[in-house]
Amino acid sequence: MWELERVVGYLLPWEFSPAWAIACLVAAGCYLRGLKRQRSKGQAPDLWRSFAFLLGVIGVYAVTQTQYDYLSQFMFFTHRAQHLVLHHMAPFLIALAAPLPVLAAGLPVRSVSLPGRAMAGRVLGPLYRLLQHPLIAPLLFVGLIYFWLIPEIHFDAMLSRQLYQIMNWSMLLDGLLFWWLMLDPRTPEQGGLGYGTRILVMLAVITPQVLLGAYFTFSERVLFDVYDVCGRAWPIAPLTDQRLGGLLTWIPASMMSVIGILIVVRHILAGKDDANTGKADPERGMTQP
Amino acid sequence: MLGSWLAGCSDTDWQTKDISGLMPPLEFDLTSESGETVVAQAFRGDVTLLFFGFTHCHDVCPTTMAHLDSIIGELDEEARGDLQVLFVSVDPSRDDPDTLREYTANYGPEFVGVTGTEDALNALTRRYRVTYSHGEKDETDHYDVSHPNAVFAFDREGKAQFLIRESDPRKVVIDDLRKLLGRRLGA
């Protein structure tokens, strides 16, 4: 019983944030409702796609609305792991799931005819296209990582509750935009970004992340004194903390690009096979709403 | 919030770390070294420095307290009378009011020891986004406590102003303290 209470305690938010909780619950709820509706019509996506989407949403919730968030605030390497989930892994899984048809099916009917929908589209459309430009997207992706890791900026972000939330939201939203562009299920013919361009973009973001991670890993001085100033979650040598954080910025973050490239290469090869055999790949070119 | 942060938060150029606009005003409900309940409002009108530590600390606490004591010694007598240093013990099981009183007696009259229940201390550390933890007990029942090493400075209205780090040069800290003490209420 005591063990159960302890586990429940770990799952409770360190700092409850309605925005994170609502976003995760609405995304999961909408997806599950859409899945049920699509199943009843025999249009459900592959099981692995549903699993990827829900795992991504659970990942976002776990690093923001459980006691893990405490560790993220008071240790550099656990903070880097939090951003690895928010900026890389969770958005990657969500984009890989190609969830738009299911989410659209799960939306309440009223939301389709909401007033101002067309206006919002006209205002946000150009901004979205700008952020998804193949030159802007990688700059933004790498730029945000660097920006929040400028020691003085990082100091303020960890000290201020509001800035901390802005930092985490910016990482998640940018991660979703970037990996959505890279793993867009539409073929280039259907309006998706060219496969070659996707590979180039994912290659381009590897080197800056490797350099930054290596810099943290091999630095002989503590770069982020906010964790000394505010205290660490448990006693750990500051340089060890920084080196672990550097490795997380360096290796798994870069590996996500490699996995992304392999997925795009698979699409290219599948496209060639289709052309040779005259068959269509059912997993590609999913209709988007 | 984002705009004011990017533009620089404060109308005063602190040479130490400016935290105005980043941190909330001073609020707490603790027990003083005289054993009485003490709240932050009791310190309004004075400049307040806030430091988290514990009396059994062998390195950060005595160094920081001695450093602050020596810096305060360089201030005018009138300014010293308007300054309070709150030493918040995050080790209440060993630091009862008597122990705290004996500890702060080693320093100037500006130093006041306070502590509280775990809930009260957690509320205060959460408010200022700092943390502390207690290590394992050894065979002599001694244990270490990890705690923040910064000193938070609040103006006479209890608003957060700057943060003193270990690495801040002495002159910079004195200049900022003089500037903060020179501000009158409502100024």
Side-chain angles (χ1 to χ4, degrees):
Chain A
M1 193 65 192
W2 185 80
E3 276 297 312
L4 183 69
E5 273 179 31
R6 208 168 66 143
V7 171
V8 170
Y10 287 138
L11 294 176
L12 290 175
W14 166 249
E15 277 176 348
F16 176 65
S17 162
W20 286 106
I22 290 170
C24 291
L25 286 175
V26 166
C30 195
Y31 188 87
L32 290 173
R33 192 159 101 152
L35 199 60
K36 195 176 161 195
R37 285 181 180 170
Q38 286 208 322
R39 262 211 189 117
S40 67
K41 293 181 193 165
Q43 298 172 340
D46 292 339
L47 194 63
W48 70 265
R49 286 192 192 271
S50 303
F51 181 72
F53 180 83
L54 293 171
L55 191 62
V57 174
I58 290 169
V60 171
Y61 188 89
V63 296
T64 57
Q65 289 299 288
T66 66
Q67 294 291 305
Y68 185 81
D69 188 36
Y70 167 75
L71 297 179
S72 307
Q73 292 182 27
F74 296 108
M75 208 89 90
F76 182 65
F77 87 89
T78 40
H79 152 75
R80 293 311 307 145
Q82 182 193 46
H83 277 201
L84 182 66
V85 171
L86 287 179
H87 199 220
H88 290 70
M89 289 176 168
F92 187 99
L93 286 169
I94 289 170
L96 191 63
L100 286 191
V102 184
L103 287 171
L107 282 175
V109 180
R110 283 190 304 275
S111 66
V112 181
S113 55
L114 274 178
R117 196 167 176 262
M119 172 77 92
R122 274 199 298 277
V123 173
L124 295 177
L127 176 67
Y128 177 78
R129 281 189 292 279
L130 174 73
L131 296 178
Q132 295 298 69
H133 188 281
L135 281 177
I136 304 289
L139 272 178
L140 199 62
F141 186 79
V142 171
L144 266 183
I145 300 174
Y146 273 67
F147 176 76
W148 291 116
L149 288 170
I150 296 169
E152 281 302 303
I153 303 278
H154 192 73
F155 197 100
D156 286 5
M158 299 313 279
L159 221 54
S160 157
R161 187 174 175 174
Q162 287 96 330
L163 279 183
Y164 178 74
Q165 295 297 342
I166 291 170
M167 171 177 75
N168 285 350
W169 272 109
S170 70
M171 295 306 275
L172 175 65
L173 294 176
D174 178 59
L176 285 170
L177 282 171
F178 182 82
W179 294 112
W180 183 253
L181 185 66
M182 295 299 103
L183 304 175
D184 189 346
R186 293 173 306 171
T187 62
E189 295 76 30
Q190 290 170 320
L193 193 64
Y195 291 137
T197 312
R198 297 188 202 198
I199 291 174
L200 279 176
V201 168
M202 282 189 274
L203 282 174
V205 300
I206 291 179
T207 310
Q209 291 182 89
V210 167
L211 290 175
L212 191 66
Y215 177 56
F216 296 155
T217 306
F218 296 118
S219 181
E220 289 296 328
R221 65 187 181 91
V222 176
L223 301 164
F224 301 97
D225 65 343
V226 69
Y227 301 96
D228 292 321
V229 165
C230 294
R232 283 187 164 79
W234 70 78
I236 177 174
L239 271 180
T240 307
D241 186 17
Q242 185 168 292
R243 281 172 185 153
L244 289 171
L247 289 172
L248 284 170
T249 310
W250 175 359
I251 298 168
S254 308
M255 282 304 294
M256 296 307 294
S257 278
V258 175
I259 298 170
I261 290 168
L262 290 175
I263 289 171
V264 173
V265 168
R266 181 184 167 275
H267 280 321
I268 296 171
L269 295 176
K272 279 188 181 163
D273 284 352
D274 293 348
N276 290 340
T277 59
K279 286 180 189 169
D281 182 351
E283 283 189 9
R284 292 189 308 119
M286 288 179 70
T287 312
Q288 300 296 315
Chain B
M1 160 77 200
L2 196 59
S4 66
W5 171 63
L6 290 171
C9 304
S10 172
D11 51 359
T12 311
D13 284 333
W14 302 119
Q15 297 174 76
T16 51
K17 174 67 193 167
D18 187 343
I19 56 166
S20 58
L22 290 179
M23 305 239 89
L26 190 59
E27 285 292 342
F28 59 79
D29 188 345
L30 297 169
T31 306
S32 79
E33 59 186 28
S34 58
E36 293 162 354
T37 299
V38 62
V39 293
Q41 281 71 19
F43 296 90
R44 297 288 193 267
D46 284 340
V47 165
T48 310
L49 301 182
L50 183 74
F51 177 65
F52 298 90
F54 66 115
T55 64
H56 288 70
C57 180
H58 295 301
D59 40 43
V60 177
C61 297
T63 310
T64 306
M65 295 283 271
H67 182 56
L68 284 177
D69 197 27
S70 142
I71 280 173
I72 291 167
E74 290 200 24
L75 301 173
D76 302 336
E77 200 173 329
E78 190 190 342
R80 286 206 296 269
D82 288 350
L83 180 66
Q84 300 274 356
V85 183
L86 288 182
F87 174 77
V88 182
S89 168
V90 290
D91 185 19
S93 59
R94 285 187 294 191
D95 292 343
D96 57 22
D98 289 342
T99 312
L100 276 173
R101 201 165 51 242
E102 280 171 30
Y103 185 74
T104 57
N106 294 314
Y107 308 98
E110 303 82 14
F111 289 76
V112 182
V114 290
T115 189
T117 59
E118 196 180 332
D119 285 347
L121 289 171
N122 288 345
L124 183 62
T125 50
R126 271 187 191 221
R127 187 171 177 84
Y128 295 101
R129 301 182 71 76
V130 296
T131 192
Y132 65 96
S133 62
H134 295 172
E136 295 290 324
K137 283 185 180 174
D138 63 16
E139 60 277 5
T140 60
D141 270 358
H142 179 80
Y143 55 90
D144 202 5
V145 179
S146 73
H147 60 92
N149 67 15
V151 180
F152 295 83
F154 298 85
D155 68 12
R156 294 172 195 273
E157 293 172 11
K159 290 180 188 161
Q161 292 300 318
F162 57 84
L163 187 142
I164 304 167
R165 294 185 262 197
E166 271 182 335
S167 54
D168 286 327
R170 182 183 177 84
K171 184 183 176 309
V172 160
V173 178
I174 294 173
D175 285 351
D176 276 359
L177 269 180
R178 283 198 174 121
K179 206 184 288 180
L180 186 58
L181 282 157
R183 282 196 199 165
R184 296 286 125 195
L185 264 179

